[in-house]
Amino acid sequence: MLSIIEKIKQGQLWDFHGGIHPAENKVISTRNAIQQAGLPSELVLPLKQHIGGKGDILVTVGQSVLKGQPLTQGNIAMCVPIHAPTSGKIVAIEPRTVAHPSGLTDLCIVIETDGNDQWLDNREPITDFLNEDPIDLIERIRQSGISGMGGAGFPTSRKLQSGVGKADILIINAAECEPYITADDRLMQDYASEIVTGIKILQHILTPKLVIIAIEDNKPDAIKALNAEVSEHDNILIRVIPTKYPSGSSRQLVKILTGKEVPANGRSTDIGVIMQNVGTIFAVKRAICNAEPLIERVVTLTGNSIDNPGNYWVRLGTNVQYLMDIVGYKADKKHPRIIMGGSLMGFTLPHQQIPITKITNCIITPDRKELPLYNHEMACIRCSSCADACPSSLLPQQLYWYAKSEEFDKCEEYNLSDCIECGACAYVCPSEIPLVQYYRQAKSEIYARKQDALSADRAKVRFEEKNARMERDKLERENKFKLAAENRRKEMKAEKPDGSGNDAIAAAIARVKAQKAAEKSGVATPKPAVAAAIARAKAKQAEAAKANSDEPDNSEMMKLREERKQQARERKAKLAAETNDSEATPAGSTDKKDAVAAAIARAKARKATQAEETTETSTEPNIETQGSEEKVDPKKAAVAAAIARAKARKTAQAEETTEASTEADIEIQEPEEKVDPKKAAVAAAIARAKARKAAQAEETTEASTEANIEIQEPEEKVDLKKAAVAAAIARAKARKAAQAEETTEASTEADIETQEPEEKVDPKKAAVAAAIARAKARKAAQENNNKEE
């Protein structure tokens, strides 16, 4: 049985399903050789002109560049750079409309040409490529920015890398089956020898068993030119195939030449075949042998609306408007159209400011008769003409229904991805349904959904990895804390061999548990300072008990009392300063309402004091009537008596001091000076307030005295009952003196407060009355003190 290569050498060909024979319209543009389109004043270079990612920009606005200078760079296999097509200045890096059916914008580099067309100085051509490493040649091809120029734009270097050691057959695609396009035909006629040199470079890189140049039989001049350049020992076979659309498609051409089917969702390299376009082969030759990056290409300009159709060398980035000007474009009056690409696979441009890219091979300017507009889509009549014409053996009718109803799962089930968008189905459709548009939209939606699903999967993986990492960190921290606690426990055991260290740890754990339990139950925990003081006191008491000591250590309590006394003294000084400020204010700044409010506050305070005294009075008889058999703590009785006597003495002394200063102020007043009665009443109230504050401050001092008394040992025996009775009598006398004074003050204040504003009061009489009231209070206090002594 003959092998595939032997069958190919014997001239055997195969056929693919479907296909159409539209009008070719190629003769219009093949009459003349390839011409130079010239240099426009501005070039717009999109960063992405191929399948894959964009490169990183190497230039800035305002920078001058030379012809062939790299403008971008990329270090990944699916990224190729772009180069400056001529010398000039970078005037903008901004979004511009690009060559795409959507008419959307993309980031572009705009060059203002200088007309010098000056090349870089460091170009290094490779004259003997047969002695070069294939890997170095592939890298040179990548750095030259070469991608597939037949329409797809797949990076050439990536395709060559995937075919090294795998490709048995190298196919040069020179079919150019789509109507109107003649760029490859004219390139083979004019540059046949350079194309053969490019084929030999790929032979050196891939080392295939056979090279086939596939060309349709409607290109006799190109076939003749290639036969003149190919010799028998080059292992290059020129195979002429029947004219049929779309025989130039990669899958269909492989089937015609080898009889093999490219697997779905696969590539030709999977079956040992690699394919390159004629234009790509020419660009490879220029990159290796001439050190010229891909900066220009052949573009077919054709159609009935231009005067000079033909093929032109066009710099990449040249806008369509410039090309239309040089070929004499005359737009149709009713339906002006400019189509980029072929008549079946091309798309209408939104305007003429669209740049030429690496995959642009044709510009068509048809009139209404040449390519009629199909704007009236009708219902599908299920004629199955689309299925008969489909070269991929699909069911276009079913795909159309599913795409229209957005049943994308069904579209994938019916192998929508195998559609090559050749347009044969739409060409034969009697209902004039734009089937390819539906397929493109469905493909875009499916791709977007897959990308979203991939993003969601990646996010899920990241989330799970994050949780796992946090769990690991948590376990590491716990182990670290456990190890640290174990080390501390060992150190404490080493420091305290008696085992008390374990008790301290257990106590700390118990305190933490108790605190957590209190927080859960809602019970308020003591303040840290109070808790610390209590803890210290308990510790000292425990130490005292352990040492069998009868005298408790009250040093902590003494410190707290000293702090309270200091705070009381500061408050007293602040109050005195505020009182002096209030006395220095003008008489007109006070009014009757303030005096009434002060009187109400004092009355409330007196009521609270009286209620407390009533409670104490009810307690005193119980003390006085206790029998001698009842055991009374002599220390407590002595302390109570001392406190009562101290309170009475301090109150009397404070009042005497305040009244004496007030009388002195009254006596030094001139008789002719008029005294405001309200001021006198306020002065008296202030004096009483000072006395009370002094008493409160002294109580703090007495509290500290109590502690000193409590820790003293009773050196003499005291009659318990007498001491208790004496203390009760002293307290009662002090209360009576205070009540008598308050009664007098209340009556005086009431008289002052209830006076009508119109009533005239003798100021001197008011001052004398206040002095008399204070003198009576002092006498009563002195009598009480004499009796107690």
Side-chain angles (χ1 to χ4, degrees), residues 41-80:
S41 60
E42 183 182 80
L43 298 175
V44 179
L45 298 165
L47 297 187
K48 184 176 180 181
Q49 304 182 27
H50 59 277
I51 294 176
K54 301 177 183 178
D56 299 327
I57 300 175
L58 299 176
V59 294
T60 58
V61 176
Q63 179 179 343
S64 296
V65 295
L66 297 175
K67 184 178 180 180
Q69 178 177 339
L71 304 179
T72 63
Q73 67 175 359
N75 296 322
I76 58 177
M78 292 297 290
C79 178
V80 294

Side-chain angles (χ1 to χ4, degrees), residues 114-336:
D114 56 11
N116 298 326
D117 205 28
Q118 182 180 354
W119 274 99
L120 282 173
D121 296 333
N122 57 352
R123 293 191 298 157
E124 297 179 358
I126 299 175
T127 56
D128 187 9
F129 57 83
L130 295 177
N131 293 324
E132 294 290 331
D133 188 351
I135 301 300
D136 295 337
L137 295 178
I138 292 175
E139 181 61 20
R140 169 68 72 91
I141 292 171
R142 188 183 76 85
Q143 294 294 342
S144 298
I146 300 175
S147 60
M149 300 172 68
F154 196 90
T156 303
S157 59
R158 183 73 180 104
K159 184 180 286 189
L160 294 176
Q161 284 178 345
S162 64
V164 173
K166 297 180 181 179
D168 295 330
I169 300 175
L170 172 62
I171 297 176
I172 308 302
N173 188 351
E176 200 171 41
C177 60
E178 192 165 4
Y180 286 95
I181 306 176
T182 60
D184 292 346
D185 184 6
R186 196 69 243 185
L187 185 65
M188 288 184 288
Q189 295 181 41
D190 297 345
Y191 299 93
S193 75
E194 293 191 51
I195 290 174
V196 172
T197 303
I199 293 173
K200 292 179 180 179
I201 293 173
L202 294 190
Q203 280 183 303
H204 174 66
I205 294 173
L206 298 173
T207 63
K209 296 179 181 179
L210 181 65
V211 178
I212 305 174
I213 301 177
I215 185 169
E216 286 187 332
D217 56 10
N218 61 353
K219 303 175 180 60
D221 295 334
I223 296 171
K224 183 179 179 180
L226 290 174
N227 281 324
E229 296 294 335
V230 174
S231 61
E232 296 181 358
H233 61 274
D234 289 335
N235 197 23
I236 299 175
L237 180 64
I238 298 175
R239 179 65 65 219
V240 180
I241 62 176
T243 300
K244 183 181 179 181
Y245 181 82
S247 59
S249 175
S250 174
R251 293 174 181 269
Q252 280 65 43
L253 189 56
V254 169
K255 179 66 182 294
I256 292 172
L257 297 176
T258 66
K260 294 182 178 182
E261 293 277 358
V262 178
N265 300 321
R267 296 174 182 171
S268 59
T269 52
D270 297 335
I271 57 174
V273 177
I274 190 169
M275 185 177 297
Q276 293 290 350
N277 180 264
V278 170
T280 307
I281 296 296
F282 182 81
V284 168
K285 185 269 174 186
R286 286 290 181 92
I288 299 298
C289 300
N290 302 88
E292 294 182 8
L294 182 55
I295 57 176
E296 62 180 356
R297 67 156 298 149
V298 180
V299 179
T300 301
L301 302 179
T302 183
N304 291 340
S305 298
I306 61 176
D307 296 333
N308 301 310
N311 292 281
Y312 293 82
W313 283 109
V314 180
R315 302 290 177 96
L316 300 183
T318 304
N319 61 50
V320 176
Q321 177 66 55
Y322 173 82
L323 298 178
M324 293 298 99
D325 292 339
I326 66 173
V327 296
Y329 171 62
K330 296 177 182 179
D332 189 88
K333 294 181 179 179
K334 291 186 178 180
H335 301 289

Side-chain angles (χ1 to χ4, degrees), residues 606-784:
R606 282 197 298 274
K607 286 182 180 180
T609 306
Q610 290 174 2
E612 182 181 358
E613 290 172 352
T614 305
T615 305
E616 292 176 357
T617 306
S618 61
T619 307
E620 288 172 4
N622 295 333
I623 298 173
E624 294 173 358
T625 57
Q626 287 177 349
S628 60
E629 296 84 6
E630 184 179 358
K631 294 181 179 180
V632 181
D633 189 354
K635 188 182 292 185
K636 289 183 178 180
V639 169
I643 289 171
R645 288 191 297 273
K647 285 182 178 179
R649 284 196 299 272
K650 295 297 181 182
T651 302
Q653 290 174 2
E655 291 182 356
E656 288 174 1
T657 305
T658 305
E659 291 167 359
S661 61
T662 305
E663 290 175 0
D665 295 337
I666 295 172
E667 291 172 358
I668 64 174
Q669 290 178 351
E670 292 295 335
E672 295 78 17
E673 183 182 358
K674 293 182 180 181
V675 180
D676 189 350
K678 190 175 291 186
K679 282 187 177 181
V682 171
I686 291 170
R688 289 192 296 274
K690 289 182 178 180
R692 283 196 294 272
K693 294 296 181 179
Q696 291 176 359
E698 292 299 331
E699 286 179 3
T700 306
T701 307
E702 291 167 5
S704 62
T705 306
E706 289 177 22
N708 296 331
I709 295 173
E710 288 174 0
I711 63 174
Q712 290 178 355
E713 288 293 328
E715 298 176 357
E716 62 178 1
K717 295 182 180 179
V718 181
D719 189 349
L720 304 179
K721 192 170 184 178
K722 288 182 180 180
V725 171
I729 292 169
R731 288 194 297 273
K733 288 180 179 180
R735 281 197 299 275
K736 286 179 181 179
Q739 289 175 0
E741 183 184 356
E742 288 173 357
T743 302
T744 305
E745 292 172 356
S747 61
T748 305
E749 290 172 2
D751 294 339
I752 295 171
E753 292 169 359
T754 56
Q755 286 180 354
E756 293 296 328
E758 295 80 13
E759 182 180 355
K760 295 181 179 179
V761 181
D762 188 355
K764 189 175 290 187
K765 288 182 179 181
V768 172
I772 292 170
R774 289 193 294 272
K776 288 181 179 180
R778 282 199 303 275
K779 288 181 180 180
Q782 289 175 0
E783 290 176 359
N784 290 334

